Amino acid sequence: MKKIIKLSLVCAVLFSGMSTYAIDGNEEFNLHVLKNGKVITFGLNQVQKANLAIYDQDGTLFYSESASGKDGILRTFSLQDFPDGTYFLEVEDNAKKVRYQINVDNDVTTLSPKAISSVYKVADKNTSVAVR
């Protein structure tokens, strides 16, 4: 019985530590994929206002919105009606625009947790810096 209690305690500490690591982040822009499937859920830490847009590979806009949240942004998108293919989620705030890849394949949709590109905005409106 003592072994079971000790093992349960170790597992509880391990899982709480993993979830804390996955949610916390002190980078300027953090996207956390919370759920994949035909419905994707993600959270943006430390972002109070952002423009969200979903494009296909040809640059056709499928969805856009201005999102806001006091402590961050949490969104869920259903991609059931999307044809199989590659799409891009763009998140833009006052400082930069970040692009993430979405793959729709049969009944599985995945959102990349890491950005595939970032464009930082600078004070001069005619200049931008791209990071890949």
Side-chain angles (χ1 to χ4, degrees):
M1 185 68 170
K2 287 183 181 182
K3 280 186 175 182
I4 293 174
I5 293 172
K6 286 181 184 179
L7 183 60
S8 299
L9 181 61
V10 169
C11 289
V13 170
L14 177 66
F15 288 128
S16 68
M18 286 188 338
S19 67
T20 300
Y21 177 76
I23 295 171
D24 287 341
N26 46 8
E27 291 181 26
E28 185 178 330
F29 213 65
N30 289 312
L31 178 131
H32 298 286
V33 179
L34 303 174
K35 183 179 175 186
N36 281 316
K38 276 296 189 175
V39 176
I40 58 172
T41 301
F42 63 90
L44 295 165
N45 287 354
Q46 302 175 356
V47 177
Q48 282 75 38
K49 284 186 173 183
N51 294 318
L52 306 175
I54 297 178
Y55 296 92
D56 68 2
Q57 280 187 313
D58 299 326
T60 304
L61 178 66
F62 276 75
Y63 177 82
S64 70
E65 78 167 291
S66 293
S68 62
K70 185 177 179 180
D71 296 323
I73 297 171
L74 180 65
R75 283 293 179 269
T76 299
F77 291 118
S78 174
L79 304 175
Q80 283 185 297
D81 296 332
F82 280 47
D84 290 355
T86 302
Y87 299 88
F88 300 97
L89 168 66
E90 283 190 357
V91 181
E92 182 176 5
D93 67 359
N94 292 334
K96 67 182 177 177
K97 184 191 296 187
V98 182
R99 188 173 237 202
Y100 299 90
Q101 185 170 323
I102 302 170
N103 291 318
V104 177
D105 185 27
N106 294 324
D107 291 335
V108 178
T109 300
T110 55
L111 172 62
S112 65
K114 298 209 182 240
I116 59 170
S117 70
S118 298
V119 177
Y120 290 83
K121 299 176 184 179
V122 293
D124 183 7
K125 300 240 188 257
N126 298 323
T127 307
S128 62
V129 177
V131 178
R132 294 196 185 263

